[in-house]
Coordinates of all heavy atoms in Angstrom, one line a residue:
M1 N -45.6 23.0 -198.9 CA -46.6 23.1 -197.8 C -46.0 24.0 -196.7 O -44.9 24.0 -196.4 CB -46.8 21.7 -197.3 CG -47.8 21.7 -196.1 SD -48.2 20.1 -195.4 CE -48.0 20.4 -193.7
V2 N -46.9 24.7 -196.1 CA -46.6 25.5 -195.0 C -46.3 24.6 -193.8 O -47.2 23.8 -193.4 CB -47.7 26.6 -194.7 CG1 -47.4 27.4 -193.4 CG2 -47.8 27.5 -195.9
S3 N -45.2 24.8 -193.1 CA -44.8 23.9 -192.0 C -45.0 24.6 -190.6 O -44.9 23.9 -189.6 CB -43.4 23.4 -192.2 OG -42.5 24.5 -192.1
K4 N -45.1 25.9 -190.6 CA -45.3 26.5 -189.3 C -46.1 27.8 -189.3 O -46.2 28.5 -190.4 CB -43.9 26.8 -188.6 CG -43.1 27.8 -189.4 CD -41.7 27.9 -188.7 CE -40.8 28.8 -189.6 NZ -39.5 28.9 -189.1
I5 N -46.6 28.2 -188.2 CA -47.3 29.4 -188.0 C -46.8 30.0 -186.7 O -46.4 29.3 -185.8 CB -48.9 29.2 -188.0 CG1 -49.6 30.6 -188.0 CG2 -49.3 28.4 -186.7 CD1 -51.1 30.4 -188.2
I6 N -46.8 31.3 -186.6 CA -46.3 32.0 -185.4 C -47.5 32.8 -184.9 O -48.0 33.7 -185.6 CB -45.1 32.9 -185.7 CG1 -43.9 32.1 -186.3 CG2 -44.7 33.6 -184.4 CD1 -42.8 32.9 -186.8
L7 N -47.9 32.5 -183.7 CA -49.0 33.3 -183.1 C -48.3 34.1 -182.0 O -47.8 33.5 -181.0 CB -50.1 32.4 -182.5 CG -50.8 31.5 -183.5 CD1 -51.8 30.6 -182.8 CD2 -51.4 32.3 -184.6
D8 N -48.4 35.4 -182.1 CA -47.6 36.3 -181.2 C -46.2 35.9 -181.4 O -45.7 36.0 -182.5 CB -48.1 36.4 -179.8 CG -49.5 37.0 -179.7 OD1 -49.8 37.8 -180.6 OD2 -50.3 36.8 -178.8
D9 N -45.5 35.4 -180.4 CA -44.1 34.9 -180.6 C -44.0 33.4 -180.5 O -42.8 32.9 -180.4 CB -43.2 35.6 -179.6 CG -43.1 37.1 -179.8 OD1 -43.0 37.5 -181.0 OD2 -43.1 37.9 -178.8
R10 N -45.1 32.7 -180.5 CA -45.0 31.2 -180.3 C -45.0 30.5 -181.7 O -46.0 30.7 -182.4 CB -46.2 30.8 -179.5 CG -46.4 29.3 -179.3 CD -45.3 28.8 -178.3 NE -45.3 27.3 -178.3 CZ -45.4 26.7 -177.2 NH1 -45.4 27.3 -176.0 NH2 -45.4 25.3 -177.2
V11 N -44.0 29.8 -181.9 CA -43.9 29.0 -183.2 C -44.6 27.7 -183.0 O -44.4 27.0 -182.0 CB -42.4 28.8 -183.6 CG1 -42.3 27.9 -184.8 CG2 -41.7 30.1 -183.7
I12 N -45.5 27.4 -183.9 CA -46.3 26.1 -183.9 C -46.0 25.4 -185.2 O -46.3 25.9 -186.3 CB -47.8 26.4 -183.7 CG1 -48.0 27.2 -182.3 CG2 -48.6 25.2 -183.7 CD1 -49.4 27.7 -182.2
Q13 N -45.6 24.1 -185.0 CA -45.4 23.3 -186.2 C -46.7 22.7 -186.7 O -47.5 22.3 -185.8 CB -44.4 22.2 -185.8 CG -43.0 22.6 -185.4 CD -42.3 23.4 -186.5 OE1 -42.3 23.1 -187.7 NE2 -41.7 24.5 -186.1
L14 N -46.9 22.7 -188.0 CA -48.2 22.4 -188.5 C -48.2 21.0 -189.2 O -47.3 20.6 -189.8 CB -48.7 23.4 -189.5 CG -48.8 24.8 -189.0 CD1 -49.2 25.8 -190.2 CD2 -49.8 25.0 -187.9
N15 N -49.4 20.4 -189.1 CA -49.7 19.1 -189.9 C -50.4 19.5 -191.2 O -50.3 18.8 -192.1 CB -50.5 18.2 -189.1 CG -49.9 17.7 -187.8 OD1 -48.7 17.7 -187.7 ND2 -50.7 17.4 -186.8
S16 N -51.2 20.6 -191.1 CA -52.0 20.9 -192.3 C -52.2 22.5 -192.3 O -52.3 23.1 -191.2 CB -53.3 20.2 -192.2 OG -54.2 20.6 -193.2
Y17 N -52.3 23.0 -193.5 CA -52.5 24.5 -193.7 C -53.4 24.7 -194.9 O -53.2 24.2 -195.9 CB -51.2 25.2 -193.9 CG -51.3 26.6 -194.2 CD1 -51.3 27.6 -193.2 CD2 -51.3 27.1 -195.5 CE1 -51.4 28.9 -193.5 CE2 -51.4 28.4 -195.8 CZ -51.5 29.3 -194.8 OH -51.6 30.7 -195.1
E18 N -54.4 25.5 -194.7 CA -55.3 25.9 -195.8 C -55.5 27.4 -195.6 O -55.6 27.9 -194.5 CB -56.7 25.2 -195.7 CG -56.6 23.8 -196.0 CD -58.0 23.1 -195.8 OE1 -59.0 23.8 -196.1 OE2 -58.0 21.9 -195.5
E19 N -55.6 28.1 -196.8 CA -55.7 29.6 -196.8 C -56.7 30.0 -197.8 O -56.7 29.4 -198.9 CB -54.3 30.2 -197.1 CG -54.3 31.6 -197.4 CD -53.0 32.1 -197.9 OE1 -51.9 31.6 -197.4 OE2 -53.0 32.8 -198.9
E20 N -57.5 31.0 -197.5 CA -58.4 31.6 -198.5 C -58.6 33.0 -198.2 O -58.3 33.5 -197.1 CB -59.7 30.8 -198.6 CG -60.6 30.9 -197.3 CD -61.9 30.2 -197.4 OE1 -62.6 30.4 -198.4 OE2 -62.2 29.4 -196.5
K21 N -59.1 33.8 -199.1 CA -59.5 35.1 -198.8 C -61.0 35.2 -198.9 O -61.7 34.7 -199.8 CB -58.9 36.1 -199.9 CG -57.5 36.6 -199.4 CD -57.2 37.9 -200.1 CE -56.3 38.7 -199.2 NZ -55.9 39.9 -199.9
V22 N -61.6 35.8 -197.8 CA -63.0 36.0 -197.7 C -63.3 37.5 -197.5 O -62.9 38.0 -196.5 CB -63.6 35.1 -196.6 CG1 -65.1 35.4 -196.4 CG2 -63.3 33.7 -196.7
K23 N -64.0 38.0 -198.5 CA -64.3 39.5 -198.4 C -63.1 40.3 -198.2 O -63.0 41.2 -197.4 CB -65.4 39.8 -197.3 CG -66.7 39.1 -197.6 CD -67.7 39.4 -196.6 CE -69.0 38.7 -196.9 NZ -70.1 38.9 -195.9
G24 N -62.0 39.9 -198.8 CA -60.7 40.7 -198.8 C -59.9 40.4 -197.6 O -58.8 41.0 -197.4
R25 N -60.3 39.5 -196.7 CA -59.5 39.2 -195.5 C -59.0 37.7 -195.5 O -59.8 36.9 -196.0 CB -60.4 39.4 -194.2 CG -60.7 40.9 -194.1 CD -61.4 41.1 -192.8 NE -62.8 40.5 -192.8 CZ -63.4 40.2 -191.7 NH1 -62.9 40.4 -190.5 NH2 -64.6 39.7 -191.7
Y26 N -57.8 37.5 -195.0 CA -57.3 36.2 -195.0 C -58.0 35.3 -193.9 O -58.4 35.8 -192.9 CB -55.8 36.2 -194.6 CG -54.9 36.6 -195.7 CD1 -54.4 37.9 -195.8 CD2 -54.6 35.7 -196.8 CE1 -53.6 38.3 -196.9 CE2 -53.8 36.1 -197.8 CZ -53.4 37.4 -197.9 OH -52.6 37.8 -198.9
K27 N -58.2 34.1 -194.3 CA -58.8 33.1 -193.4 C -57.9 31.9 -193.5 O -57.8 31.3 -194.6 CB -60.3 32.8 -193.8 CG -61.0 31.8 -192.9 CD -62.4 31.6 -193.3 CE -63.2 30.7 -192.4 NZ -64.6 30.5 -192.9
V28 N -57.3 31.4 -192.4 CA -56.4 30.3 -192.5 C -56.9 29.2 -191.5 O -57.4 29.5 -190.4 CB -55.0 30.6 -192.1 CG1 -54.4 31.6 -193.2 CG2 -54.8 31.2 -190.8
L29 N -56.9 28.0 -192.0 CA -57.2 26.8 -191.1 C -55.9 26.0 -191.0 O -55.3 25.7 -191.9 CB -58.3 26.0 -191.8 CG -58.7 24.8 -191.0 CD1 -60.2 24.6 -191.1 CD2 -58.0 23.5 -191.5
V30 N -55.6 25.7 -189.7 CA -54.4 25.0 -189.4 C -54.7 23.8 -188.5 O -55.6 23.9 -187.7 CB -53.3 25.8 -188.8 CG1 -52.8 26.8 -189.8 CG2 -53.7 26.5 -187.5
I31 N -54.0 22.7 -188.7 CA -54.1 21.6 -187.8 C -52.7 21.3 -187.3 O -51.7 21.3 -188.0 CB -54.7 20.3 -188.5 CG1 -56.1 20.6 -189.1 CG2 -54.7 19.1 -187.6 CD1 -56.7 19.6 -189.9
F32 N -52.6 21.1 -185.9 CA -51.3 20.9 -185.3 C -51.5 20.0 -184.1 O -52.5 19.9 -183.5 CB -50.6 22.2 -185.0 CG -51.4 23.1 -184.1 CD1 -51.2 23.1 -182.7 CD2 -52.3 24.0 -184.6 CE1 -51.9 23.9 -181.9 CE2 -53.1 24.8 -183.8 CZ -52.9 24.8 -182.4
D33 N -50.4 19.3 -183.7 CA -50.3 18.5 -182.6 C -49.9 19.3 -181.3 O -49.1 20.2 -181.4 CB -49.3 17.3 -182.7 CG -49.7 16.3 -183.8 OD1 -51.0 16.2 -184.1 OD2 -48.9 15.7 -184.4
V34 N -50.5 18.9 -180.2 CA -50.2 19.5 -178.9 C -49.9 18.4 -178.0 O -50.7 17.4 -177.8 CB -51.3 20.4 -178.4 CG1 -51.0 20.9 -177.0 CG2 -51.6 21.5 -179.3
T35 N -48.7 18.4 -177.4 CA -48.3 17.4 -176.4 C -48.8 17.8 -175.0 O -49.1 18.9 -174.7 CB -46.8 17.2 -176.3 OG1 -46.2 18.5 -175.8 CG2 -46.2 16.9 -177.7
S36 N -48.9 16.8 -174.1 CA -49.3 17.1 -172.8 C -48.3 18.1 -172.1 O -48.8 18.9 -171.3 CB -49.4 15.8 -171.9 OG -48.3 15.0 -172.0
E37 N -47.1 18.1 -172.5 CA -46.1 19.0 -171.9 C -46.4 20.5 -172.4 O -46.1 21.4 -171.7 CB -44.7 18.6 -172.3 CG -44.2 17.3 -171.7 CD -44.7 16.1 -172.3 OE1 -45.2 16.1 -173.5 OE2 -44.8 15.0 -171.6
D38 N -46.9 20.6 -173.6 CA -47.1 22.0 -174.2 C -48.6 22.4 -174.0 O -48.9 23.6 -174.3 CB -46.8 22.0 -175.7 CG -45.4 21.9 -176.0 OD1 -44.6 22.3 -175.1 OD2 -45.0 21.4 -177.0
Y39 N -49.4 21.6 -173.5 CA -50.9 21.9 -173.4 C -51.2 23.2 -172.7 O -51.9 24.0 -173.2 CB -51.6 20.7 -172.7 CG -53.0 21.1 -172.4 CD1 -54.0 21.3 -173.3 CD2 -53.4 21.3 -171.0 CE1 -55.3 21.6 -173.0 CE2 -54.7 21.6 -170.7 CZ -55.6 21.8 -171.7 OH -56.9 22.2 -171.3
H40 N -50.6 23.4 -171.5 CA -50.9 24.6 -170.7 C -50.5 25.8 -171.5 O -51.3 26.8 -171.6 CB -50.2 24.5 -169.4 CG -50.5 25.8 -168.6 ND1 -51.7 26.0 -167.9 CD2 -49.7 26.8 -168.3 CE1 -51.6 27.2 -167.3 NE2 -50.4 27.7 -167.6
D41 N -49.3 25.9 -172.1 CA -48.9 27.0 -172.8 C -49.7 27.3 -174.0 O -50.1 28.5 -174.3 CB -47.4 26.9 -173.2 CG -46.4 26.9 -172.1 OD1 -46.8 27.4 -171.0 OD2 -45.3 26.4 -172.2
I42 N -50.1 26.3 -174.8 CA -50.9 26.5 -175.9 C -52.3 26.9 -175.5 O -52.9 27.9 -176.1 CB -51.0 25.2 -176.8 CG1 -49.6 24.9 -177.4 CG2 -52.0 25.3 -177.9 CD1 -49.1 25.9 -178.4
A43 N -52.9 26.3 -174.5 CA -54.3 26.7 -174.1 C -54.3 28.1 -173.6 O -55.2 28.9 -173.9 CB -54.7 25.7 -173.0
T44 N -53.3 28.5 -172.8 CA -53.2 29.9 -172.3 C -53.1 30.9 -173.5 O -53.7 31.9 -173.5 CB -52.0 30.0 -171.4 OG1 -52.2 29.1 -170.3 CG2 -51.9 31.4 -170.8
L45 N -52.3 30.5 -174.5 CA -52.1 31.4 -175.7 C -53.4 31.5 -176.4 O -53.9 32.7 -176.7 CB -51.1 30.8 -176.6 CG -50.9 31.5 -178.0 CD1 -50.3 32.9 -177.8 CD2 -50.0 30.6 -178.9
L46 N -54.1 30.4 -176.6 CA -55.4 30.5 -177.4 C -56.5 31.2 -176.7 O -57.4 31.8 -177.3 CB -55.8 29.1 -177.8 CG -54.9 28.4 -178.8 CD1 -55.5 27.0 -179.1 CD2 -54.7 29.2 -180.0
Y47 N -56.4 31.3 -175.3 CA -57.4 32.0 -174.6 C -57.4 33.5 -174.9 O -58.4 34.2 -174.8 CB -57.3 31.8 -173.1 CG -57.8 30.5 -172.6 CD1 -57.0 29.8 -171.7 CD2 -59.0 30.0 -173.0 CE1 -57.5 28.6 -171.2 CE2 -59.4 28.7 -172.5 CZ -58.7 28.1 -171.6 OH -59.1 26.8 -171.2
N48 N -56.3 34.0 -175.4 CA -56.2 35.4 -175.8 C -57.1 35.8 -176.9 O -57.6 36.9 -177.0 CB -54.7 35.8 -176.2 CG -53.8 35.7 -175.0 OD1 -54.1 36.0 -173.9 ND2 -52.5 35.4 -175.3
G49 N -57.3 34.8 -177.8 CA -58.3 35.0 -178.9 C -57.9 35.8 -180.1 O -58.4 35.5 -181.2
T50 N -57.0 36.7 -180.0 CA -56.5 37.5 -181.1 C -55.0 37.6 -181.0 O -54.4 37.7 -179.9 CB -57.1 39.0 -181.0 OG1 -58.5 38.8 -181.0 CG2 -56.6 39.8 -182.2
F51 N -54.4 37.5 -182.2 CA -52.9 37.3 -182.2 C -52.3 38.1 -183.4 O -53.0 38.4 -184.4 CB -52.5 35.9 -182.5 CG -53.4 34.9 -181.7 CD1 -54.5 34.4 -182.2 CD2 -53.0 34.6 -180.4 CE1 -55.3 33.5 -181.5 CE2 -53.8 33.7 -179.6 CZ -54.9 33.2 -180.2
D52 N -51.0 38.4 -183.3 CA -50.2 38.7 -184.4 C -49.9 37.4 -185.1 O -49.2 36.5 -184.5 CB -48.9 39.5 -184.0 CG -49.2 40.8 -183.5 OD1 -50.2 41.5 -183.9 OD2 -48.5 41.3 -182.6
V53 N -50.4 37.2 -186.3 CA -50.2 36.0 -187.1 C -49.1 36.2 -188.1 O -49.2 37.1 -188.9 CB -51.5 35.6 -187.8 CG1 -51.4 34.3 -188.6 CG2 -52.7 35.4 -186.7
K54 N -48.2 35.2 -188.1 CA -47.1 35.3 -189.2 C -47.0 33.9 -189.8 O -47.0 32.9 -189.1 CB -45.8 35.6 -188.5 CG -45.7 37.0 -188.0 CD -44.4 37.3 -187.3 CE -44.5 38.6 -186.5 NZ -43.6 38.7 -185.4
I55 N -47.0 33.8 -191.1 CA -46.8 32.6 -191.8 C -45.5 32.9 -192.7 O -45.6 33.4 -193.8 CB -48.0 32.2 -192.7 CG1 -49.2 32.0 -191.7 CG2 -47.8 30.9 -193.4 CD1 -50.5 32.6 -192.1
P56 N -44.4 32.6 -192.1 CA -43.1 33.0 -192.8 C -43.0 32.5 -194.2 O -42.5 33.2 -195.1 CB -42.0 32.4 -191.9 CG -42.7 32.2 -190.6 CD -44.1 32.0 -190.9
E57 N -43.4 31.2 -194.5 CA -43.2 30.6 -195.8 C -44.0 31.3 -196.9 O -43.8 31.2 -198.0 CB -43.5 29.1 -195.7 CG -42.4 28.4 -194.9 CD -42.9 27.2 -194.1 OE1 -43.9 27.4 -193.4 OE2 -42.4 26.1 -194.3
K58 N -45.1 32.0 -196.4 CA -45.9 32.7 -197.4 C -45.7 34.2 -197.3 O -46.4 35.0 -198.0 CB -47.4 32.5 -197.1 CG -47.8 31.0 -197.0 CD -48.0 30.4 -198.4 CE -49.4 30.8 -198.9 NZ -49.7 30.2 -200.2
E59 N -44.7 34.6 -196.5 CA -44.5 36.1 -196.2 C -45.8 36.8 -195.9 O -46.0 37.9 -196.4 CB -43.7 36.7 -197.4 CG -42.4 36.1 -197.6 CD -41.6 36.7 -198.8 OE1 -42.1 37.7 -199.4 OE2 -40.5 36.2 -199.1
L60 N -46.6 36.2 -195.1 CA -47.9 36.7 -194.7 C -47.9 37.1 -193.2 O -47.5 36.3 -192.4 CB -48.9 35.6 -195.0 CG -50.4 35.9 -194.7 CD1 -50.9 37.2 -195.5 CD2 -51.3 34.7 -195.1
M61 N -48.4 38.3 -193.0 CA -48.6 38.7 -191.6 C -49.9 39.5 -191.5 O -50.2 40.3 -192.4 CB -47.4 39.7 -191.2 CG -46.1 39.0 -191.1 SD -44.8 40.1 -190.5 CE -44.5 41.0 -192.0
F62 N -50.6 39.2 -190.4 CA -51.9 40.0 -190.1 C -52.3 39.8 -188.7 O -51.8 38.9 -188.0 CB -53.0 39.5 -191.1 CG -53.4 38.1 -191.0 CD1 -54.4 37.7 -190.1 CD2 -52.8 37.1 -191.8 CE1 -54.7 36.3 -190.0 CE2 -53.2 35.8 -191.7 CZ -54.1 35.4 -190.8
R63 N -53.2 40.7 -188.3 CA -53.8 40.5 -186.9 C -55.0 39.6 -187.1 O -55.9 39.9 -187.9 CB -54.2 41.9 -186.4 CG -54.6 41.9 -185.0 CD -53.4 41.9 -184.0 NE -53.9 42.0 -182.6 CZ -53.3 41.5 -181.6 NH1 -52.2 40.8 -181.8 NH2 -53.8 41.6 -180.4
G64 N -55.0 38.5 -186.4 CA -56.1 37.5 -186.6 C -56.8 37.1 -185.3 O -56.2 37.2 -184.2
T65 N -58.0 36.8 -185.5 CA -58.9 36.4 -184.4 C -59.4 35.0 -184.6 O -59.7 34.6 -185.8 CB -60.1 37.3 -184.2 OG1 -59.6 38.7 -184.0 CG2 -61.0 36.9 -183.1
I66 N -59.5 34.2 -183.5 CA -60.1 32.9 -183.7 C -61.5 32.9 -184.2 O -62.3 33.6 -183.6 CB -60.0 32.1 -182.3 CG1 -58.6 31.9 -181.9 CG2 -60.7 30.8 -182.4 CD1 -58.4 31.2 -180.5
Y67 N -61.7 32.2 -185.3 CA -63.0 32.0 -185.9 C -63.7 30.8 -185.4 O -64.9 30.7 -185.1 CB -62.9 32.1 -187.4 CG -64.2 31.8 -188.1 CD1 -65.1 32.9 -188.3 CD2 -64.5 30.6 -188.7 CE1 -66.3 32.7 -188.9 CE2 -65.7 30.4 -189.4 CZ -66.6 31.4 -189.5 OH -67.7 31.2 -190.2
N68 N -62.8 29.7 -185.3 CA -63.3 28.4 -184.8 C -62.1 27.6 -184.4 O -61.0 27.7 -184.9 CB -64.0 27.7 -186.0 CG -64.8 26.5 -185.5 OD1 -65.1 26.3 -184.4 ND2 -65.0 25.6 -186.5
Y69 N -62.3 26.8 -183.3 CA -61.2 25.8 -183.0 C -61.8 24.6 -182.3 O -62.9 24.7 -181.6 CB -60.0 26.4 -182.3 CG -60.0 26.5 -180.8 CD1 -59.4 25.5 -180.1 CD2 -60.6 27.5 -180.1 CE1 -59.4 25.6 -178.7 CE2 -60.6 27.6 -178.8 CZ -60.0 26.6 -178.0 OH -60.0 26.7 -176.7
S70 N -61.1 23.5 -182.4 CA -61.6 22.3 -181.8 C -60.3 21.5 -181.4 O -59.3 21.7 -182.0 CB -62.5 21.5 -182.7 OG -61.9 21.1 -183.9
T71 N -60.5 20.5 -180.5 CA -59.4 19.7 -180.1 C -59.9 18.2 -180.2 O -61.1 17.9 -180.1 CB -59.0 20.0 -178.7 OG1 -60.0 19.7 -177.8 CG2 -58.6 21.4 -178.5
S72 N -58.9 17.3 -180.3 CA -59.3 15.9 -180.2 C -59.7 15.6 -178.7 O -59.5 16.4 -177.8 CB -58.1 15.1 -180.6 OG -57.0 15.3 -179.7
I73 N -60.2 14.5 -178.5 CA -60.7 14.1 -177.2 C -59.5 13.6 -176.2 O -59.8 13.3 -175.1 CB -61.8 13.0 -177.3 CG1 -62.6 13.0 -176.0 CG2 -61.2 11.7 -177.7 CD1 -64.0 12.4 -176.2
T74 N -58.3 13.7 -176.7 CA -57.2 13.2 -175.9 C -57.1 14.0 -174.6 O -57.2 15.2 -174.6 CB -55.9 13.5 -176.7 OG1 -56.0 12.9 -178.0 CG2 -54.7 12.9 -176.1
N75 N -56.8 13.2 -173.5 CA -56.7 13.9 -172.2 C -55.2 14.3 -172.1 O -54.3 13.5 -171.8 CB -57.0 12.9 -171.1 CG -56.9 13.5 -169.7 OD1 -56.5 14.7 -169.6 ND2 -57.3 12.8 -168.7
L76 N -55.0 15.6 -172.3 CA -53.6 16.1 -172.3 C -53.1 16.4 -170.9 O -52.0 16.8 -170.7 CB -53.5 17.4 -173.1 CG -53.7 17.1 -174.6 CD1 -53.8 18.5 -175.4 CD2 -52.7 16.2 -175.2
Y77 N -54.0 16.1 -169.9 CA -53.5 16.2 -168.5 C -52.7 14.9 -168.2 O -51.9 14.9 -167.2 CB -54.6 16.3 -167.5 CG -55.3 17.7 -167.6 CD1 -56.6 17.8 -168.1 CD2 -54.6 18.8 -167.1 CE1 -57.2 19.1 -168.1 CE2 -55.2 20.0 -167.2 CZ -56.5 20.2 -167.7 OH -57.1 21.4 -167.7
E78 N -52.8 13.9 -168.9 CA -52.0 12.7 -168.8 C -50.7 12.8 -169.5 O -50.6 13.3 -170.6 CB -52.8 11.4 -169.3 CG -54.0 11.1 -168.6 CD -54.7 9.9 -169.2 OE1 -54.1 9.2 -170.0 OE2 -55.9 9.6 -168.8
K79 N -49.6 12.3 -168.8 CA -48.3 12.5 -169.3 C -48.1 11.7 -170.7 O -48.8 10.6 -170.9 CB -47.3 11.9 -168.3 CG -45.9 12.1 -168.7 CD -44.9 11.6 -167.6 CE -43.5 11.9 -168.1 NZ -42.5 11.6 -167.1
D80 N -47.3 12.2 -171.5 CA -46.9 11.6 -172.8 C -48.1 11.4 -173.8 O -48.1 10.5 -174.6 CB -46.2 10.3 -172.6 CG -44.9 10.4 -171.8 OD1 -44.2 11.4 -172.0 OD2 -44.6 9.5 -171.0
Q81 N -49.1 12.3 -173.7 CA -50.2 12.2 -174.7 C -50.0 13.3 -175.7 O -49.3 14.3 -175.5 CB -51.5 12.5 -174.0 CG -51.9 11.4 -172.9 CD -52.0 10.0 -173.5 OE1 -52.8 9.9 -174.5 NE2 -51.3 9.1 -173.0
V82 N -50.6 13.1 -176.9 CA -50.6 14.1 -178.0 C -52.0 14.2 -178.5 O -52.7 13.3 -178.9 CB -49.7 13.6 -179.2 CG1 -49.7 14.6 -180.3 CG2 -48.2 13.4 -178.7
G83 N -52.5 15.5 -178.5 CA -53.8 15.8 -179.1 C -53.6 16.6 -180.3 O -52.6 17.1 -180.6
Q84 N -54.7 16.7 -181.1 CA -54.7 17.4 -182.3 C -55.7 18.6 -182.2 O -56.8 18.5 -181.8 CB -55.1 16.5 -183.5 CG -54.8 17.2 -184.8 CD -55.0 16.2 -185.9 OE1 -56.1 15.8 -186.3 NE2 -53.9 15.7 -186.5
Y85 N -55.2 19.8 -182.5 CA -56.0 21.0 -182.5 C -56.2 21.4 -184.0 O -55.4 21.4 -184.8 CB -55.2 22.2 -181.9 CG -55.3 22.2 -180.4 CD1 -55.1 21.0 -179.6 CD2 -55.5 23.4 -179.7 CE1 -55.2 21.1 -178.2 CE2 -55.6 23.4 -178.3 CZ -55.4 22.2 -177.6 OH -55.4 22.3 -176.2
T86 N -57.4 21.9 -184.2 CA -57.8 22.5 -185.5 C -58.2 23.9 -185.2 O -59.1 24.1 -184.3 CB -59.0 21.7 -186.1 OG1 -58.6 20.3 -186.3 CG2 -59.4 22.3 -187.4
L87 N -57.6 24.8 -185.8 CA -57.8 26.3 -185.5 C -58.0 27.0 -186.8 O -57.3 26.9 -187.8 CB -56.5 26.8 -184.8 CG -56.4 28.2 -184.5 CD1 -57.4 28.6 -183.5 CD2 -55.0 28.5 -184.0
T88 N -59.0 27.9 -186.8 CA -59.3 28.8 -187.9 C -59.2 30.2 -187.5 O -59.8 30.6 -186.5 CB -60.7 28.5 -188.5 OG1 -60.9 27.2 -188.9 CG2 -60.9 29.4 -189.8
L89 N -58.4 31.0 -188.2 CA -58.1 32.4 -187.8 C -58.6 33.2 -189.0 O -58.4 32.9 -190.1 CB -56.7 32.6 -187.6 CG -56.0 31.8 -186.4 CD1 -54.5 31.9 -186.6 CD2 -56.4 32.4 -185.1
V90 N -59.2 34.4 -188.6 CA -59.6 35.3 -189.6 C -58.9 36.7 -189.4 O -58.9 37.1 -188.3 CB -61.2 35.5 -189.6 CG1 -61.6 36.6 -190.6 CG2 -61.8 34.2 -190.0
E91 N -58.4 37.3 -190.5 CA -57.8 38.6 -190.4 C -58.8 39.6 -189.9 O -59.9 39.7 -190.4 CB -57.3 39.0 -191.8 CG -56.6 40.3 -191.8 CD -56.0 40.6 -193.2 OE1 -56.4 40.0 -194.2 OE2 -55.2 41.6 -193.3
E92 N -58.4 40.4 -188.9 CA -59.3 41.5 -188.4 C -59.4 42.6 -189.5 O -58.5 42.8 -190.3 CB -58.7 42.1 -187.1 CG -58.8 41.2 -186.0 CD -58.5 41.9 -184.7 OE1 -57.7 42.8 -184.7 OE2 -59.0 41.5 -183.6
K93 N -60.5 43.3 -189.4 CA -60.7 44.5 -190.3 C -59.8 45.6 -189.7 O -59.6 45.7 -188.5 CB -62.2 44.9 -190.2 CG -63.1 44.0 -190.8 CD -64.5 44.6 -190.7 CE -65.5 43.6 -191.3 NZ -66.9 44.1 -191.1
E94 N -59.3 46.3 -190.6 CA -58.4 47.4 -190.2 C -59.2 48.6 -189.8 O -60.3 48.9 -190.2 CB -57.5 47.8 -191.4 CG -56.5 46.7 -191.6 CD -55.4 47.1 -192.6 OE1 -55.3 48.3 -193.0 OE2 -54.7 46.2 -193.1

């Protein structure tokens, strides 16, 4: 199983990873936990929308854009909380 993804230079530990190719482009769906301590950094990163995506365990690298993402209802502004993010990235056309 793939245990991490790197978006730009940020390493994110994964709970789940799925990969497929759609019209010749990679599409990956990842699920990961975000703590209240990491919430601001992760939210700021995701606002960028497009990233250098690296999946070291698959030797896969591409420029990817957010296709879809959602979060659990957890209030990450409260200390010691953990929310779950679901993120789908699609490889950009060259």
